[in-house]
Amino acid sequence: MRFDRLNILAERMAGYSLKLKPGERCMIAAGHSALPLARAFADACLKAGAVPLTYFMDEEMTRIFLASLP
């Protein structure tokens, strides 16, 4: 389910904050908890003509790794 506020935020990120232009590449790195916003932002990138590249991290795996450090 997509929320209007997420779509508005994503469009502002792509258009106002990043000023994405057609053909530009945009890296989206997020955890799974941010998946709805990442989807909305990828859609906004595509509407602007940009190419979204996505990378998702698992927060639990990161937590386990960081807890194991001395």
Side-chain angles (χ1 to χ4, degrees):
M1 179 173 167
R2 300 188 68 176
F3 301 99
D4 288 335
R5 288 195 295 179
L6 288 180
N7 293 335
I8 291 168
L9 176 60
E11 288 172 10
R12 287 183 181 165
M13 288 167 47
Y16 178 77
S17 298
L18 296 174
K19 296 175 180 55
L20 291 176
K21 295 175 181 55
E24 284 188 317
R25 289 175 286 187
C26 182
M27 178 69 171
I28 302 170
H32 291 285
S33 58
L35 185 58
L37 178 58
R39 283 183 179 153
F41 183 59
D43 189 46
C45 290
L46 290 170
K47 286 179 183 175
V51 179
L53 307 169
T54 57
Y55 173 76
F56 287 96
M57 301 164 282
D58 183 27
E59 292 97 347
E60 185 61 29
M61 292 292 287
T62 303
R63 221 175 276 120
I64 291 169
F65 172 72
L66 292 175
S68 70
L69 296 176

